[in-house]
């Protein structure tokens, strides 16, 4: 361990503080991972106060979903003012910590359930962005909006993501680990990204409560997977409780499917676009192979912008995928966009509204097994960001838990499954 102003900091965090002194000039992003008691937030709080006082940085300190951010992460940062002996030098207000004309500002990126991403105009003047619990960030696009707003011509520009790893399907793993050939747990620098990984084993164990240490040792033996993820901060391959596990889906190269056996080509979507829902629309080729139905999911639209923003894309996608019929749920939402899409459809594509008569949860539970048995997905889905997010959302739906923003992909697949069941009941069930 090394000491900084009588505060013990693990040597693994040393490269972070070296950024303040101009070392590693290409680094503009820090990915900080770890499990319980890994001192990530603790150390970055010290770093932020240090950067403000001695280097006059302007820091945006955030979380994504917590609108009462001043009651969550701010106390962690404020506590370090006295620890560093800066109580007479820094001014600690309700929403800021200030030094001269510089500040650490605390802002929720998404203040409310229906709010949009924080107004980027209000983010000007910062050269450092810290996002605690970054696993809450929904996608790369949201991160990039803020990343591009952190710019200062005279000071170093830096973005720090602090997170407890979740599944390997999370966009942070996909973007910053898988694409760079990393498995997680590394302490290194690759290109412009610094990786710091710590666990409770890097802390001063003598200062940890004995009952906590004892429970960690118990988990190591009795719950090794939870110990690896929750305590050591490892990434999960596939979480327990997933209704449609990725390992149980069928994947193949869809660029070479047997077109001579295709009996129906259709697309299906739900226009609903409220409360953070995504507009999901798979493009499916149904084949009859040896008297067995196979549903090839050739392409998808999976958009956070809703059906209105996809009015121009949908007709072209239908043509590109040689679609015969477009099914759209008749729920009254996005009606103007639906009518506009209908007008733009080529004459050879049939428009089929279908009613919403049962709750999504009931539809999912009724048809997800059919999706596992009869649907085939593109093995190259990771090369298509929308297809990748579609698969990640569909396979992230939990049997129990909050599925509020993970329902759209699996629900539309189950709606497609229901259509196929009804249309080809005799082939599927022989009666």
């Amino acid at each position: 361990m090394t000491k900084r102003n009588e505060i013990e900091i693990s040597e693994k965090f040393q490269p972070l503080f070296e950024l303040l002194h101009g070392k590693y000039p290409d680094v503009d992003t820090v990915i900080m991972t770890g499990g319980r008691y890994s001192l990530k937030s603790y150390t970055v709080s010290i770093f932020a106060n240090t950067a403000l006082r001695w280097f006059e940085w302007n820091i945006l300190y955030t979380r994504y979903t917590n609108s009462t951010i001043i009651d969550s992460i701010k106390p962690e940062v404020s506590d370090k003012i006295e620890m560093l002996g800066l109580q007479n030098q820094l001014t600690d207000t309700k929403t800021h910590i200030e030094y001269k004309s510089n500040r650490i500002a605390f802002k929720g990126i998404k203040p409310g359930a229906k709010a949009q991403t924080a107004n980027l105009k209000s983010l000007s003047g910062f050269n450092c962005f810290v996002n605690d619990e970054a696993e809450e960030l929904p996608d790369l696009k949201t991160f990039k909006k803020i990343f591009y707003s952190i710019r200062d011509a005279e000071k170093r520009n830096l973005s720090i993501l602090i997170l407890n790893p979740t599944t390997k399907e999370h966009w942070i793993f996909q973007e910053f680990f898988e694409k760079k050939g990393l498995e997680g747990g590394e302490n290194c620098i690759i290109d412009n990204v610094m990786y710091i990984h710590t666990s409770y084993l890097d802390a001063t164990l003598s200062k940890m409560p004995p009952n906590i240490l004892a429970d960690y040792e118990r988990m190591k033996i009795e719950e090794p997977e939870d110990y690896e993820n929750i305590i050591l901060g490892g990434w999960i391959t596939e979480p327990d409780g997933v209704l449609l596990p990725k390992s149980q889906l069928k994947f193949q190269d869809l660029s070479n499917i047997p077109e001579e056996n295709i009996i129906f080509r259709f697309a299906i979507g739900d226009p609903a676009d409220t409360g953070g829902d995504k507009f999901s629309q798979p493009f499916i080729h149904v084949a009859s192979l040896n008297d067995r139905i196979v549903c090839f999911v050739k392409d998808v639209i999976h958009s956070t912008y809703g059906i209105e923003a996809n009015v121009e894309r949908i007709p072209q996608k239908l043509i590109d995928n040689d679609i015969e019929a477009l099914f759209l749920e008749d729920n009254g939402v996005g009606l103007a966009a639906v009518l506009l899409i209908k007008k733009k459809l080529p004459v050879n594509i049939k428009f089929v509204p279908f009613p919403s008569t049962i709750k999504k949860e009931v539809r999912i539970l009724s048809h997800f097994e059919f999706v596992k048995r009869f649907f085939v997905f593109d093995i190259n889905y990771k090369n298509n960001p929308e297809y990748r997010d579609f698969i990640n959302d569909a396979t992230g739906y939990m049997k129990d838990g909050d599925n509020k923003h993970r329902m759209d992909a699996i629900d539309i697949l189950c709606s497609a499954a229901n259509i196929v069941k009804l249309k080809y009941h005799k082939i599927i069930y022989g009666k």
Side-chain angles (χ1 to χ4, degrees), residues 53-221:
R53 168 58 184 86
W54 284 285
F55 298 88
E56 299 185 4
W57 279 20
N58 288 297
I59 302 170
L60 174 66
Y61 217 111
T62 74
R63 276 189 62 183
Y64 181 70
T65 58
N66 197 332
S67 59
T68 58
I69 197 166
I70 59 174
D71 297 321
S72 55
I73 62 173
K74 185 177 184 298
E76 173 84 43
V77 184
S78 295
D79 284 348
K80 306 307 178 295
I81 295 175
E82 184 174 355
M83 186 180 294
L84 291 165
L86 299 175
Q87 58 268 39
N88 295 324
Q89 301 179 53
L90 303 183
T91 302
D92 191 8
T93 71
K94 186 177 181 180
T95 58
H96 293 76
I97 298 174
E98 301 169 350
Y99 177 72
K100 296 182 179 178
S101 60
N102 307 104
R103 82 279 195 204
I104 304 172
F106 298 87
K107 179 188 288 286
I109 299 175
K110 186 179 181 182
K114 296 184 179 179
Q116 301 298 316
T117 302
N119 185 351
L120 298 184
K121 292 181 180 179
S122 67
L123 303 185
S124 62
F126 296 100
N127 71 293
C128 182
F129 163 53
V130 177
N131 184 207
D132 206 348
E133 300 197 29
E135 65 272 18
E136 296 175 346
L137 276 177
D139 48 44
L140 178 62
K141 185 181 296 183
T142 302
F143 167 68
K144 284 295 188 181
K145 282 182 180 179
I146 304 171
F147 177 85
Y148 292 138
S149 299
I150 302 302
R151 53 184 183 270
D152 188 300
E154 298 179 358
K155 298 173 184 175
R156 179 172 208 148
N157 295 304
L158 189 67
S159 295
I160 303 173
L161 300 182
I162 310 168
L163 66 146
N164 299 311
T166 57
T167 74
K168 290 185 177 181
E169 303 309 321
H170 196 284
W171 71 266
I172 291 179
F173 184 87
Q174 299 280 331
E175 182 68 22
F176 291 106
F177 291 85
E178 185 167 80
K179 283 186 178 180
K180 297 180 182 293
L182 301 177
E183 285 296 322
E186 294 88 355
N187 286 273
C188 61
I189 294 174
I190 297 181
D191 302 326
N192 64 315
V193 183
M194 174 181 288
Y195 298 85
I196 298 176
H197 181 84
T198 56
S199 72
Y200 77 101
L201 298 173
D202 298 301
T204 304
L205 299 183
S206 61
K207 294 184 178 180
M208 288 184 62
N211 65 310
I212 299 297
L213 279 174
D215 195 57
Y216 288 178
E217 292 301 313
R218 178 197 62 78
M219 287 183 68
K220 186 190 300 186
I221 298 170

Side-chain angles (χ1 to χ4, degrees), residues 198-409:
T198 56
S199 72
Y200 77 101
L201 298 173
D202 298 301
T204 304
L205 299 183
S206 61
K207 294 184 178 180
M208 288 184 62
N211 65 310
I212 299 297
L213 279 174
D215 195 57
Y216 288 178
E217 292 301 313
R218 178 197 62 78
M219 287 183 68
K220 186 190 300 186
I221 298 170
E222 298 178 8
E223 305 168 58
E225 292 184 0
D226 284 346
Y227 176 80
E228 176 66 27
N229 171 239
I230 299 171
I231 308 304
L232 296 186
W235 292 88
I236 303 172
T237 301
E238 194 166 78
D240 291 333
V242 172
L243 190 67
L244 199 66
K246 185 177 296 183
S247 60
Q248 296 181 23
L249 296 184
K250 297 177 177 66
F251 293 91
Q252 71 178 61
D253 185 353
L254 299 190
S255 64
N256 191 30
I257 64 175
E259 291 294 335
E260 65 275 11
N261 296 107
I262 301 299
I263 56 176
F264 189 46
R265 299 173 177 86
F266 75 101
I268 181 170
D270 177 359
D273 182 27
T274 58
D277 288 350
K278 293 179 180 177
F279 173 67
S280 292
Q281 182 169 297
F283 299 80
I284 300 169
H285 288 198
V286 182
S288 177
L289 301 173
N290 300 319
D291 295 323
R292 182 176 183 272
I293 288 294
V294 180
C295 304
F296 297 102
V297 182
K298 288 279 289 182
D299 199 359
V300 302
I301 291 176
H302 191 60
S303 170
T304 57
Y305 294 115
I307 190 171
E308 288 82 0
N310 289 282
V311 165
E312 300 299 327
R313 295 179 66 205
I314 291 171
Q316 188 58 52
K317 281 269 192 182
L318 294 170
I319 294 169
D320 293 343
N321 288 282
D322 200 20
I323 295 301
E324 304 167 37
L326 170 62
F327 293 78
L328 285 177
E329 186 168 335
D330 185 13
N331 55 21
V333 178
L335 180 60
V338 170
L339 293 175
L340 187 55
I341 291 168
K342 185 178 179 181
K343 288 181 180 180
K344 290 177 176 287
L345 289 181
V347 293
N348 62 324
I349 297 179
K350 185 179 180 180
F351 177 80
V352 186
F354 68 97
S356 176
T357 57
I358 60 175
K359 291 184 177 181
K360 288 186 175 183
E361 292 87 348
V362 175
R363 183 161 53 208
I364 291 168
L365 292 174
S366 299
H367 303 299
F368 80 95
E369 287 287 355
F370 188 91
V371 173
K372 285 199 294 186
R373 290 180 61 196
F374 296 100
F375 279 58
V376 177
F377 301 89
D378 191 351
I379 198 169
N380 300 307
Y381 71 90
K382 291 181 181 179
N383 298 328
N384 179 336
E386 279 187 281
Y387 206 134
R388 180 192 65 211
D389 291 344
F390 180 83
I391 290 291
N392 291 344
D393 279 356
T395 58
Y397 185 91
M398 306 297 289
K399 296 174 186 175
D400 299 300
D402 181 10
N403 292 300
K404 185 175 181 181
H405 300 306
R406 279 289 181 99
M407 190 176 293
D408 304 296

